[in-house]
Structures are given as structure tokens and as C-alpha cells.
Amino acid sequence: MTIGPPTDSRSEENPRVDVSRWFDDHADALYRYARLRVRRRETAEDLVQETFLAALSTIERYSGQSSQRTWLVSILRHKLVDYYRSQAFKKSSEGNGDEPWSGRAKTLLFTDLGHWSAPPGPSIESRDRLEEREFWQILEHCLRLLPEPLSSAFVLRELEAMELEEARRTLGVTNGNLRVRLHRARLLIRHCLERHGLGEEFDPARRV
Amino acid sequence: MFGFRQVVRILWLRCFDATELSSSLLDEPMEFPERLALYSHLATCRSCRRFHNQIRRIRSLLRSSGPNTGSTDPKMAGQGLSLESQLRIKKAIQDASRNRPDGPLS
């Protein structure tokens, strides 16, 4: 996607430092990366902007060995972790001791006795049967349905593949709390993916 | 040998608790009694077996795409920044570029 006048010919000689082209080439991809991982559109936009600004100030350190995209994404990931950390700090200083999210997965999917009331179907199908794009849209939708403490844990651990201890520190929670968050998040995400077309008995009518 | 509580846990593991163990196994190593409890349960419970396998499947689907694929796929055009945000961010970047101590970049 190109906006503004076409980049001038000088940029051909040194595309590495053409800020405007950088933006056109990578902004949307960075935005989508961020948007999947944070709840609010504005937050994702801010992260994209911060990423470019940080890239600008450290451009001397860009070796050109990794692709620009990879380099920018790695900066974005750092920004993302900073954001999660700041959110965790904000919550703990608000003294939110109540955790209404912990019961939801249980009451939605299990009986009082702890048996399945909504048992899993035969399989979660490979995303090959869906358009790549559709798969990520469904995931994004499902992540938004989760309470924030659950989605942040799920994103750091399952999407960002962060080590457990690092995720624990980033979110500022205890081991036991993170374990519960991840458990509830996996229950709800699996259930949601199945309902939105990744289950085996795929019925388009059921899709939202 | 196992204590009484552990034996009880192995014999009476409920599905909800089994799924917690399945989940935990994706994150950290598990003590033998827990592992035994989980796998005994999975051997006889099809629903929990499905859950156990499917959360692993989901992990591999999500992690198999590097930062350059998946959600950043160009096919997702139209899912990008709004025009308004594009202009705003681009301007912020160009301003910052112009104000660099060692001069503008381009």
C-alpha cells in the first residue's frame, strides 16, 4: 500500500534508510502483528509508531543481515513485551484482587462435578482447509473474547513462545496464577476455534 | 510410595483437573504422580484425550509461522492501518527523521 508521492530515485541507491518506503513496505504487516496481540486498535497503532521511531534511532545498529521486516518485527516484539509489562504493573497497583475470569471456563465447559458438559470434537483441523487469512481472523476473534488476563498469558506463551518464567515476570504474576490463566485460556481458545470452523463437523451456519 | 492424597488424586481425577494437567504439561516438567494420574485418566477418557492432543495441535499451528508469515501475510490486505493512522504515524516518523542529531536520513 502506497500513500503520498512515489519515493524519489535517490532511495534506490540506499533503500535501507528510506523512511517513507520503510513505512509503506512494513507498516501494515507490523500493525497486523500487533493487532492480533493487543486488545485495542489504538494500542496496536501506538506500538507500530514506537517501533518505527525506535528503528530510526538505532538504525546504525541494523547490520542488514536480517531482512528489514525481521528486524522491525523484533523491535515490535520488544515494544509488545514492554506494553504487557506496563499493563501488568497498572493492574497490580490498582489492587485488583478479584479474579472473575477464573470461573468462566469451568462453568461454560464443565458440570459442577468437573465432567465435560461441552466435550471436544474429534479434532482441530489443519488450517490448510481454511484460507490462511481466515485462520488468523478466527484466532483474533477468539482472543478478543477472552478476558484480558487470559489472552495476554496465551499470547506470550503460545504465540510469542516466551519461556514460562519470562512470561511470569512480564505479567507480574505467581507461577500458580499463570498456570491457571494458561489452563483457562487454552480451554476457551480451543472451544472457540472449534466452534468457528476448525472443528471437524464444520457447519458454516454455525459460524459467527 | 505415594501418600493417600496422591492415590486419591490418581483414582479420582476429574476431567477439569485432567485438562489442567494437560495444559501444565505444555509449560513445565511434571512430577511422576501427576503424570501417572494424567495418563491413566487419558487412557480411559476420550474427551480429555482430544483436549490433550488438540491444545498441542493448536500450539504447533500458532508457532509454526514465523514473524514474516501468518498474521503479517500480504493476503490480509485491507486489515491494515486506517488511512488516518497511516498519515499520522508517517508524519511522526518523518518528523523524527528530520530532527535526528546527525541530520535527516533521506
Side-chain angles (χ1 to χ4, degrees):
Chain A
M1 188 178 313
T2 309
I3 57 168
T7 43
D8 66 29
S9 58
R10 272 180 306 156
S11 62
E12 296 297 328
E13 292 158 23
N14 195 357
R16 215 182 99 187
V17 292
D18 184 333
V19 180
S20 165
R21 170 175 287 192
W22 253 19
F23 184 88
D24 293 340
D25 286 351
H26 305 297
D28 277 338
L30 293 175
Y31 173 73
R32 286 194 296 271
Y33 189 95
R35 192 69 186 90
L36 181 66
R37 290 160 173 80
V38 299
R39 199 143 286 245
R40 297 175 63 238
R41 186 170 56 84
E42 294 80 2
T43 310
E45 291 174 359
D46 289 348
L47 288 169
V48 171
Q49 178 165 330
E50 285 174 31
T51 298
F52 279 113
L53 294 180
L56 205 58
S57 64
T58 58
I59 194 160
E60 289 81 5
R61 274 187 268 154
Y62 171 56
S63 61
Q65 280 181 347
S66 58
S67 78
Q68 289 183 6
R69 174 70 60 82
T70 306
W71 180 56
L72 288 167
V73 168
S74 74
I75 296 173
L76 174 57
R77 294 180 71 175
H78 280 108
K79 297 288 167 198
L80 204 77
V81 172
D82 287 347
Y83 168 75
Y84 276 124
R85 198 173 286 135
S86 70
Q87 287 301 101
F89 179 74
K90 222 164 80 187
K91 288 212 186 66
S92 64
S93 56
E94 278 164 11
N96 186 359
D98 225 12
E99 285 168 359
W101 46 263
S102 73
R104 187 158 122 193
K106 191 169 185 178
T107 51
L108 182 70
L109 302 172
F110 294 89
T111 66
D112 290 345
L113 292 172
H115 298 297
W116 288 98
S117 57
S123 69
I124 291 291
E125 279 299 292
S126 151
R127 66 182 183 219
D128 297 347
R129 57 185 292 168
L130 292 172
E131 293 265 341
E132 177 90 357
R133 165 181 173 170
E134 218 183 345
F135 173 82
W136 293 104
Q137 280 173 345
I138 293 169
L139 179 69
E140 192 170 316
H141 174 76
C142 290
L143 279 170
R144 298 242 195 294
L145 294 178
L146 289 188
E148 206 279 331
L150 303 191
S151 61
S152 54
F154 188 86
V155 164
L156 290 183
R157 187 76 187 124
E158 300 297 58
L159 272 170
E160 296 298 298
M162 192 182 263
E163 289 299 323
L164 194 73
E165 174 58 20
E166 198 188 345
R168 192 191 67 67
R169 270 186 282 118
T170 301
L171 297 171
V173 295
T174 62
N175 250 333
N177 187 292
L178 180 57
R179 180 185 161 119
V180 171
R181 288 184 188 208
L182 286 168
H183 173 226
R184 309 299 197 263
R186 285 171 181 140
L187 281 169
L188 291 169
I189 285 280
R190 196 217 62 79
H191 180 69
C192 182
L193 290 177
E194 178 175 85
R195 283 199 348 166
H196 287 80
L198 276 83
E200 195 153 82
E201 287 145 42
F202 174 47
D203 173 5
R206 281 194 314 179
R207 293 246 301 278
V208 178
Chain B
M1 276 314 290
F2 305 143
F4 177 70
R5 284 171 62 104
Q6 284 172 328
V7 172
V8 166
R9 180 143 201 219
I10 290 166
L11 293 179
W12 280 285
L13 192 66
R14 297 170 311 166
C15 293
F16 181 76
D17 300 318
T19 58
E20 185 161 350
L21 293 180
S22 289
S23 169
S24 174
L25 204 56
L26 282 174
D27 299 314
E28 48 198 342
M30 187 170 286
E31 298 287 327
F32 181 71
E34 266 82 30
R35 194 178 278 269
L36 181 62
L38 173 62
Y39 283 105
S40 317
H41 183 90
L42 293 183
T44 57
C45 178
R46 190 178 64 175
S47 295
C48 288
R49 211 155 53 230
R50 286 175 172 175
F51 177 80
H52 184 85
N53 294 330
Q54 288 173 21
I55 56 173
R56 286 159 183 273
R57 176 89 187 116
I58 290 167
R59 166 174 285 187
S60 73
L61 287 174
L62 297 190
R63 290 191 179 179
S64 62
S65 57
N68 293 326
T69 56
S71 58
T72 59
D73 194 293
K75 273 181 292 189
M76 285 184 73
Q79 302 278 308
L81 287 159
S82 68
L83 188 62
E84 193 191 345
S85 317
Q86 282 187 39
L87 295 172
R88 181 167 46 77
I89 297 173
K90 200 168 184 173
K91 183 171 184 306
I93 298 165
Q94 282 166 341
D95 288 351
S97 161
R98 260 193 292 281
N99 296 331
R100 279 165 54 89
D102 28 350
L105 282 171
S106 61

